[in-house]
Amino acid sequence: MAGLIPEHFIQDLLARIDIVPLIDARVPLKKTGRNYSACCPFHQEKTPSFTVSPDKQFYYCFGCGASGDALRFVMEYDHLSFPEAVEQLAGRAGVDIPREEHHDSREEKARRSRLQTLYDLLARAERYYRQQLKSAPDRQKAVAYLKGRGLSGEIAAQYGLGFAPPGFDNLMTGLSLDQAGLEQALTAGLLVRREDTGRVYDKFRDRIQFPIRDARGRTIGFGGRVLGDGKPKYLNSPETPVFHKGRELYGLWEWRRSRDRSDRLYVVEGYMDVIALAQHGVPNVVATLGTATSPEHCQTLFRQVNEVVFCFDGDNAGRRAAWRALESALPSLDDGKQARFLFLPDGEDPDTLVRAQGPETLLALTEKADTLSSYLFRHLSEGLDLNTVDGRARLARLALPYLSKPSGPFYRVLLEEELARLTRLERSSLERLRQEAPAEPAPRPAPASRPAAPPQRAVRHTDHAEQPDWDDAPPPDFAPAMADEPDPVPDRPRLGSRARQPGLGLVERLVLLLLSHPQVVRDRPLPEGVEELDLARVDLLLQVAGAVREHATPAAALGAIMALEQGESLSRLLREALKPTMDDDTARRYWDDALHRLHTLALEQTLKTEEARPNPDLARLSELHRALARARAGHQAEP
C-alpha cells in the first residue's frame, strides 16, 4: 500500500515490543543486575560489552558504539530497510501498519510507476539469465568457466549468476517483450538500438551475467563477462534511472546478508574477485563498477565499517587508482575510521592469492599494508629530498591542502603532527603556510617507479562493481539533533565543531568518552567551576563523571547512569552517536584538551560575572585576567 508510515504508529509499535526477548531470540542474553549483556553481534569480541536495558528499551555496545532501540536492532542485525523492519515488528506485535495518504502530483506518481516497471523488468531478466545457466544449449562453456575458477553451485546461487546465450534476440524472445516492453528494456540497459538502422538487439550475448543489486536487494543492472575472445572482456549496464555507477558497490548487499560481523571491507577489482574471496571464507569484499572510487563510494563504505582496505595492482595504473581512492576517502575519514592501501605483486589477484595460500595470507598482508597517512606522505614525498630545506618546503606545500579534508578533528590534528615531524616545522608555522596555500591541492601524478618500501600485496582495485543507495528508505531520526556548544577558545582547532561532528556538543562528546574511557576522569578530574557553566546538559556530565568514578567497569557505570533522571537524555545521545570508541591515548588527549577548554570557559564566565557586579573587586579582576591569560597561553602552546 502506498503512503508514509505515521510517526505515532512507530512510537506505539516500539511501546508494544519488548526489546529483551527480541534480541535474545537472535543473541542469547545474560542477566547482569538490572540489565542484560552479551558479546556484541556487530563486532568480534570475547568479553561481553553489549548491554540491553529493559527499563529504557535500549541497547548499547561499549566496544563498537552500536546502539539504538528495537527497530534499529532489527534493521542492523537482519539487514532490513526501515519499512521492512517496521513490517517485521508489526507482524510480531500482531498489528496492521496504517499509511498516511500521499498527495503526490500526477507526475510523481507516474515517475514512481516507471521506476517500478524497470525494477520488475530487471528482476525478470535476472530470472531468465539464471534459468539459462541451467538449461541453455550453450550453457556448458559457462559452467566450465565457473568451475574452472573454483566456484561452487552454492556461491553461484548466492550471487545470482546467470548466462546470456549467444544470439541477438534471446532475451527479447524469452521475456516476450511487446513494443512497450522493448522501450522499457532499452531504458533499463538490457537492449541496444543501432542509430543507423534502428535495429534492437540484446546488449548481453554469450556472457556470464552478474546481477548488480541495490540496498534493498533489487536488481538494478548487470555486468557480463565474455566467454570467447570478444571485446570488451567485461561489459556493464549503462547509466539508467535506477543504476548509477558512481554510487554502486558490487557485493555489498550479499555481504550484508551473509551476517559476517567484520569491521573491515576490502575493495577489489571485479565480480570474480568478490565471489571467489567469499567462497574462500572472506565475505567482506566489494568492488566498484567500471569507474574510479568516488566520494559517494567512500561514504557508503565507511557507513558500514570502520576500516576499508583498497586493493590494487602494484603497477602504475594501480597506483594512480590508489591515489584517486585516497582523495575520495579523505572527506569520509572521521575519528575511528581507517583506510589502508594494499598493492598486489605482479601476476597476482585476490582469487589466486587466497586459493593458493589461504585467507590467512590476505589477512597477514593487510596488516602490513599502507595506512592512508603513510601512503599520503610517502606518495607526496616521492622525488623529494627531505634532508634539504627545499624538499621539506615542497612537501609542506603539497601536503597542507590535504590535511583539512578529513572530517575527524583528531585525524586532522595527527596528520598535522606527522607533517610537522617530516618537515621539522612547528605546527604554528604550518598554520601560517596553510593560510597562503591554494584552496585545492595541486594534482601530483603517481611516479612511474614503485615505492622504495617493500611492495604491498593483496587485492586489485575494482573495474566492475556497484553500491546500493542507502538513502532509499532512510530510518527516522530517533533523537532530535543536539545543538553544539560554542568553542570557548577561538584560537584552538575546532576539535568538535558542528561541521565535523553534527549533532553532538562538547558535553555530549565528553559523556560518551567517559562511558568508554572512565579512567580519564580518575586521572584528571573535572576543573572547579564546571557546575556553574552555562552549558546544556552540564549536570549530566557531572553525574556521569561521578558514576564512572564510583564503578569499576563501563557496564556497571551505565547501569547506574540509566537509573538517573537523566537516563533518557543519555539514551537519546547514545542513539545518535553510533561511533567506535577512541584508543586510550587519543581519549586522554581529548580529555586533557577538554579540561583546558572547560577551565578557560569557567574563568571567562567568572570574569564576566565579576565585571557585571556594581562594585567589582579590582584585585579579583586583575587576578582573573592573569589567570585567563595563562590558561589561553598554555592552551595554545600545547603540541
Side-chain angles (χ1 to χ4, degrees):
M1 181 186 297
L4 297 174
I5 302 173
E7 176 63 25
H8 70 81
F9 172 78
I10 296 169
Q11 299 306 322
D12 292 342
L13 180 61
L14 289 173
R16 291 171 178 264
I17 299 295
D18 187 346
I19 195 172
V20 173
L22 175 78
I23 295 180
D24 188 57
R26 296 161 171 81
V27 182
L29 298 174
K30 181 179 179 181
K31 190 89 163 78
T32 52
R34 293 175 58 182
N35 300 322
Y36 293 80
S37 65
C39 287
C40 181
F42 302 114
H43 80 288
Q44 300 294 330
E45 65 176 3
K46 296 182 180 178
T47 303
S49 61
F50 181 79
T51 299
V52 182
S53 170
D55 296 337
K56 304 300 178 182
Q57 291 293 298
F58 184 79
Y59 68 89
Y60 183 77
C61 176
F62 292 96
C64 68
S67 64
D69 54 18
L71 188 55
R72 170 65 66 180
F73 182 86
V74 170
M75 290 172 62
E76 296 296 327
Y77 188 87
D78 293 343
H79 299 301
L80 300 178
S81 67
F82 170 68
E84 292 168 339
V86 173
E87 288 176 6
Q88 185 176 120
L89 292 185
R92 182 184 181 94
V95 296
D96 294 327
I97 302 176
R99 300 280 181 168
E100 293 177 344
E101 282 298 323
H102 268 307
H103 297 287
D104 293 335
S105 65
R106 181 178 301 175
E107 292 78 9
E108 177 61 21
K109 291 180 180 178
R111 186 190 70 85
R112 289 206 311 270
S113 177
R114 289 194 298 270
L115 291 180
Q116 189 58 52
T117 299
L118 295 183
Y119 288 127
D120 293 342
L121 181 59
L122 287 161
R124 289 174 60 199
E126 180 187 348
R127 289 192 295 271
Y128 170 80
Y129 291 136
R130 294 179 70 168
Q131 183 59 40
Q132 293 304 298
L133 186 59
K134 298 177 182 178
S135 60
D138 299 299
R139 71 184 185 90
Q140 285 305 326
K141 55 183 176 181
V143 173
Y145 173 81
L146 295 174
K147 287 184 176 179
R149 295 294 297 263
L151 300 188
S152 66
E154 291 77 12
I155 201 72
Q158 178 183 336
Y159 283 84
L161 301 191
F163 173 55
F168 287 89
D169 60 357
N170 290 297
L171 182 66
M172 288 187 285
T173 303
L175 298 185
S176 302
L177 298 178
D178 56 16
Q179 187 59 42
L182 290 176
E183 293 300 324
Q184 292 160 357
L186 285 165
T187 302
L190 296 171
L191 304 180
V192 178
R193 174 180 282 141
R194 290 192 57 165
E195 293 186 5
D196 54 349
T197 65
R199 179 189 175 193
V200 175
Y201 55 91
D202 292 353
K203 179 179 181 65
F204 299 100
R205 307 178 303 280
D206 200 18
R207 291 177 181 269
I208 293 175
Q209 292 295 91
F210 301 85
I212 301 162
R213 292 161 172 151
D214 68 5
R216 296 167 61 177
R218 299 174 299 192
T219 300
I220 56 176
F222 292 91
R225 204 274 185 195
V226 72
L227 288 171
D229 298 326
K231 298 292 182 182
K233 182 178 179 182
Y234 281 94
L235 181 65
N236 299 314
S237 290
E239 294 279 319
T240 73
V242 297
F243 176 53
H244 308 283
K245 295 180 182 180
R247 295 209 311 257
E248 308 302 338
L249 287 166
Y250 178 75
L252 188 56
W253 183 76
E254 287 81 0
W255 168 67
R256 295 177 72 214
R257 278 182 52 116
S258 73
R259 307 252 174 125
D260 173 70
R261 300 304 171 197
S262 302
D263 200 25
R264 168 190 291 165
L265 275 174
Y266 288 91
V267 181
V268 298
E269 181 178 11
Y271 307 114
M272 288 303 301
D273 287 328
V274 171
I275 298 171
L277 285 174
Q279 176 160 315
H280 288 89
V282 187
N284 50 321
V285 186
V286 299
T288 60
L289 186 64
T291 184
T293 306
S294 68
E296 290 80 4
H297 289 141
C298 294
Q299 290 169 11
T300 299
L301 289 163
F302 283 112
R303 280 200 296 266
Q304 308 303 310
V305 294
N306 290 317
E307 183 182 7
V308 176
V309 182
F310 296 100
C311 308
F312 304 90
D313 285 339
D315 57 14
N316 292 335
R319 296 178 65 219
R320 286 192 295 270
W323 185 250
R324 289 195 296 269
L326 180 146
E327 293 181 308
S328 295
L330 273 171
S332 298
L333 282 176
D334 204 345
D335 298 328
K337 303 293 184 180
Q338 183 178 30
R340 288 181 177 270
F341 295 84
L342 188 53
F343 296 94
L344 287 173
D346 289 340
E348 288 282 6
D349 60 39
D351 180 11
T352 59
L353 181 71
V354 173
R355 277 200 289 171
Q357 305 180 45
E360 298 79 12
T361 301
L362 178 63
L363 298 177
L365 293 174
T366 302
E367 298 306 319
K368 300 177 183 179
D370 277 341
T371 61
L372 183 142
S373 58
S374 63
Y375 183 61
L376 171 71
F377 292 120
R378 179 164 60 77
H379 176 80
L380 292 177
S381 60
E382 284 174 352
L384 303 179
D385 185 355
L386 299 187
N387 291 317
T388 67
V389 171
D390 291 347
R392 295 195 298 272
R394 176 65 175 159
L395 175 60
R397 289 287 185 182
L398 288 171
L400 274 174
Y402 292 98
L403 302 193
S404 60
K405 290 185 175 295
S407 59
F410 277 100
Y411 204 98
R412 295 195 303 275
V413 170
L414 293 174
L415 284 180
E416 289 176 5
E417 290 182 349
E418 179 63 12
L419 180 59
R421 184 188 68 81
L422 291 170
T423 58
R424 307 177 197 174
L425 288 170
E426 297 292 334
R427 283 183 57 196
S428 58
S429 301
L430 289 176
E431 186 59 35
R432 285 196 299 272
L433 285 172
R434 187 200 298 276
Q435 304 304 320
E436 305 169 11
E440 291 296 327
R444 182 181 177 93
S449 60
R450 291 197 180 198
Q456 307 294 344
R457 302 152 293 263
V459 197
R460 288 178 298 134
H461 184 49
T462 149
D463 225 24
H464 335 284
E466 358 319 69
Q467 154 217 311
D469 180 1
W470 300 115
D471 296 327
D472 216 358
D477 246 335
F478 291 116
M482 298 179 223
D484 200 12
E485 310 298 346
D487 194 336
V489 186
D491 293 330
R492 292 288 293 175
R494 291 295 303 269
L495 293 186
S497 73
R498 188 168 183 79
R500 306 303 182 191
Q501 281 186 305
L504 295 182
L506 175 62
V507 168
E508 286 79 17
R509 290 192 293 274
L510 291 181
V511 168
L512 291 179
L513 187 147
L514 285 176
L515 288 173
S516 55
H517 296 83
Q519 70 278 3
V520 296
V521 75
R522 297 170 189 146
D523 297 339
R524 291 199 61 189
L526 291 168
E528 293 183 7
V530 171
E531 65 278 2
E532 302 297 331
L533 293 178
D534 186 19
L535 290 175
R537 286 169 290 280
V538 70
D539 53 340
L540 176 61
L541 174 62
L542 294 169
Q543 291 180 353
V544 170
V548 298
R549 280 198 302 266
E550 295 174 7
H551 296 83
T553 64
L558 179 64
I561 293 163
M562 282 298 194
L564 299 172
E565 293 181 1
Q566 294 266 15
E568 186 58 34
S569 296
L570 182 67
S571 296
R572 290 195 302 270
L573 168 63
L574 295 179
R575 281 197 292 267
E576 186 169 327
L578 302 173
K579 287 193 175 185
T581 57
M582 303 176 186
D583 58 58
D584 289 342
D585 289 341
T586 303
R588 290 182 187 279
R589 292 186 57 192
Y590 193 100
W591 182 255
D592 289 346
D593 184 80
L595 293 189
H596 278 297
R597 291 181 178 208
L598 293 174
H599 177 58
T600 304
L601 190 57
L603 286 172
E604 289 176 340
Q605 186 163 311
T606 303
L607 178 60
K608 188 179 297 185
T609 301
E610 185 67 29
E611 289 174 338
R613 293 176 57 187
N615 298 302
D617 184 335
L618 296 181
R620 173 67 171 156
L621 285 176
S622 178
E623 178 186 344
L624 288 172
H625 276 293
R626 288 195 299 270
L628 184 57
R630 287 195 301 269
R632 285 175 171 169
H635 201 37
Q636 294 168 6
E638 287 183 345

